[in-house]
Amino acid sequence: MKNQQGESLTSMVGQNASIFPHRDTLKPAFTPRGAKATAQFLAMGRAAQDRQADAPPLTPAAVDAFLKEECAALDRFLEEAQARKEADAARAAQLEAQKGEAQRRREERRAASLEAQQAPYKRLQDFTPSAATPAALKACYAPRTLKVRPTAPPPVADLVDLDALRPERGKGAGTEGAAVWVHLLHFLAHHALTVRPDLYRRADGSLPPQMVLHLPNEMMAAKLEKNVSTLRLWTPILEELGYIDARPHYTTMTTAGGQRIPVIDGTLYAIRLQPGHKAKLSYQDLSAQYRNLDEDRKAGRTAYRVVERAEKLGQQEAANAKNANRVPDEEKNMRGSTASPMKAQYLREQLKTWAVTPGQVQDPLFADPRIFSLDELEEAVRTVQDVIYLLPTVAESEANKRAALVGILGTALAHALDDDHSQRWYCKAIWNAWNEEVEGRGGLQVLAAQLARLDVDRHEWGSLKRPAALLNARLRAA
């Protein structure tokens, strides 16, 4: 190549030696940080070399000493690990014991609360007669008595504002509204406390703050001549006032195929008994079992059957009134009056029985001697509940039929209580109650309450031998 310029570098093309040094031969200068790190690393290396130079020579004895030291350290580690494991196990056992104790205490409190709430459905404790016990009571169990007379529930007006329950407008304007249901609930709670005074949990006889009852809405709606949906509308109103706390109660039922399914067997109501208390259902109330639904359905002891029988009684009463050429109740009664007294009375008595023993009903097909003959009554009256229901009719029956009616009731009581030789005594007790009723002392009502209490105790006390002696002692105490 010809170069016209003398200072051209083209003459260097093709030379063996490069004018630029190779990249690998370049040694950049250390940064201050890098220099410090390098110096520390070199110092560590020199210290390790010095230690290795000063260390004694490795002999078999030194190896054995080193291994023994390491084995001892390993043993100490294993012992500490075992100690920690045992300590953890001890702590776990202590926590488990504390949980078990807490669970036991909760079960005891739950059992105590359940026993207090379900006193009407528990078996009473055995009673051992003492030397001072009267001879009439030595063969039976003594009744549970109170040290003082129980306090009567306050008026319903003190427990809930009835004026606030009266509808001001709409279809129900001018009526009592939910107040009629309040009166019925208060009556049933008072009746249950009268029949079972052991529900008074306090030694001074004062009332418990509330009463828990298992009740059927269908029967209460029929008694009030309302619809069940009306009671559902009234329930939140009374709950807001704190007078009641209502929840459906669940149990199990066996289907036709043998399968157990959950169903509702009634409604639980916590009813206020003391002013200022807000009614509240507990877990024990909801978990308790109040009736055997399979047996009740088999025996026809259902709310549906009771309402059906009540309707039949109402129809029979209307037919008898029409045949007797009397003015029908629906024509002579004013607005708001009961069109069928027999139906209302029957439902009232059935609700009283149910409030004491849920699921307990009676057959009313021969319930009134004013409608059915005494021969039919003698065939129909079989149980203590039948006698309880018919006791009010002793005062209402005709004078020429009263003696026969008392004889039928006394005989039925003797057979029901398996005490045939005391038939005359039962008749005498009914006559005495009727005499007190005539004198205005409510003798028939007292006798009915004592018989209802005796019927409950008879089922709870499996070894009760002489119910007549127990009834006699209670009637004398009353």
Side-chain angles (χ1 to χ4, degrees):
M1 170 181 249
K2 293 181 180 181
N3 186 8
Q4 300 299 327
Q5 302 293 335
E7 61 275 5
S8 176
L9 299 178
T10 55
S11 59
M12 299 180 62
V13 178
Q15 300 295 324
N16 293 332
S18 176
I19 63 174
F20 300 102
H22 197 272
R23 182 177 299 176
D24 295 338
T25 61
L26 295 178
K27 295 182 180 181
F30 286 112
T31 62
R33 182 178 179 181
K36 183 178 179 181
T38 303
Q40 291 177 352
F41 178 76
L42 293 176
M44 292 171 57
R46 286 192 296 268
Q49 292 177 359
D50 296 340
R51 285 195 302 271
Q52 185 177 2
D54 297 338
L58 187 62
T59 61
V63 173
D64 293 340
F66 174 78
L67 293 178
K68 288 180 180 180
E69 184 179 354
E70 292 297 326
C71 290
L74 180 60
D75 292 339
R76 289 193 300 270
F77 173 78
L78 293 178
E79 290 177 358
E80 293 175 357
Q82 183 66 23
R84 288 194 298 269
K85 184 177 180 181
E86 292 176 357
D88 293 341
R91 284 194 297 271
Q94 184 179 4
L95 291 176
E96 191 67 25
Q98 292 176 355
K99 291 181 180 179
E101 180 68 17
Q103 180 67 20
R104 184 186 64 80
R105 292 178 180 176
R106 284 194 296 269
E107 292 296 336
E108 289 180 354
R109 290 194 297 268
R110 184 178 305 169
S113 177
L114 179 62
E115 182 178 359
Q117 292 288 339
Q118 306 302 327
Y121 315 104
K122 295 294 185 181
R123 184 178 301 276
L124 300 179
Q125 296 180 354
D126 294 340
F127 173 79
T128 303
S130 62
T133 304
L137 297 180
K138 286 187 178 293
C140 65
Y141 293 97
R144 181 176 294 183
T145 58
L146 297 173
K147 297 180 180 179
V148 294
R149 187 175 183 84
T151 305
V156 66
D158 296 344
L159 300 176
V160 63
D161 185 6
L162 299 178
D163 294 334
L165 302 177
R166 301 179 186 274
E168 298 180 355
R169 59 182 180 178
K171 185 178 180 180
T175 64
E176 292 186 84
V180 294
W181 192 26
V182 171
H183 285 291
L184 178 60
L185 293 173
H186 183 74
F187 167 76
L188 294 176
H190 188 194
H191 171 72
L193 288 172
T194 303
V195 175
R196 298 305 304 271
D198 52 284
L199 289 177
Y200 291 90
R201 296 175 292 176
R202 300 176 180 177
D204 58 354
S206 60
L207 288 172
Q210 66 179 23
M211 180 77 178
V212 178
L213 295 181
H214 180 287
L215 296 172
N217 288 337
E218 296 83 357
M219 291 170 56
M220 289 193 293
K223 172 65 177 67
L224 300 174
E225 296 185 351
K226 302 291 183 180
N227 195 281
V228 177
S229 60
T230 303
L231 300 187
R232 297 196 186 101
L233 292 176
W234 286 346
T235 298
I237 299 176
L238 298 183
E239 286 182 333
E240 185 177 357
L241 296 176
Y243 179 70
I244 66 170
D245 185 19
R247 295 290 185 276
H249 183 264
Y250 288 86
T251 186
T252 55
M253 181 187 69
T254 305
T255 62
Q259 182 182 3
R260 300 289 294 179
I261 59 174
V263 293
I264 298 176
D265 66 345
T267 306
L268 283 184
Y269 289 93
I271 305 172
R272 175 193 293 168
L273 294 181
Q274 290 186 0
H277 173 75
K278 184 176 181 180
K280 186 66 177 178
L281 289 169
S282 64
Y283 171 78
Q284 290 77 14
D285 298 328
L286 297 171
S287 60
Q289 292 300 318
Y290 298 89
R291 56 186 296 206
N292 189 325
L293 192 57
D294 290 337
E295 293 183 0
D296 289 347
R297 292 176 66 246
K298 184 178 180 180
R301 298 190 297 264
T302 60
Y304 173 80
R305 185 67 60 86
V306 171
V307 174
E308 186 180 35
R309 291 170 177 173
E311 295 294 339
K312 184 181 294 186
L313 280 177
Q315 295 172 4
Q316 290 173 348
E317 184 181 18
N320 290 335
K322 184 177 181 180
N323 293 335
N325 295 323
R326 295 185 298 180
V327 179
D329 289 336
E330 57 267 23
E331 296 180 8
K332 69 181 181 181
N333 287 345
M334 298 178 60
R335 179 177 180 266
S337 62
T338 303
S340 180
M342 273 295 300
K343 173 184 174 181
Q345 180 185 359
Y346 166 65
L347 288 172
R348 180 175 178 269
E349 296 300 324
Q350 295 288 28
L351 283 171
K352 288 169 57 178
T353 304
W354 193 295
V356 177
T357 307
Q360 181 67 44
V361 296
Q362 53 207 2
D363 191 349
L365 297 183
F366 305 95
D368 197 339
R370 296 170 295 180
I371 299 178
F372 302 97
S373 66
L374 294 176
D375 294 334
E376 292 174 325
L377 283 175
E378 188 174 4
E379 294 295 329
V381 181
R382 297 295 183 186
T383 65
V384 176
Q385 293 294 331
D386 295 334
V387 176
I388 295 172
Y389 177 72
L390 283 173
L391 275 177
T393 62
V394 174
E396 302 171 2
S397 63
E398 300 177 3
N400 58 348
K401 293 183 179 181
R402 186 173 292 118
L405 177 60
V406 172
I408 291 173
L409 298 181
T411 303
L413 276 178
H415 286 304
L417 299 176
D418 195 16
D419 194 16
D420 292 333
H421 64 279
S422 301
Q423 177 181 350
R424 296 182 61 184
W425 184 88
Y426 291 111
C427 294
K428 181 181 178 180
I430 298 175
W431 279 119
N432 292 337
W434 177 74
N435 290 329
E436 294 178 1
E437 190 77 20
V438 173
E439 296 173 359
R441 291 184 289 168
L444 292 175
Q445 182 180 2
V446 173
L447 179 59
Q450 294 296 339
L451 287 175
R453 181 183 176 188
L454 178 67
D455 192 39
V456 174
D457 293 341
R458 191 166 59 93
H459 289 88
E460 292 184 349
W461 295 359
S463 55
L464 182 62
K465 298 178 181 179
R466 296 181 60 187
L470 182 58
L471 178 63
N472 184 24
R474 287 176 174 175
L475 289 176
R476 289 182 177 179

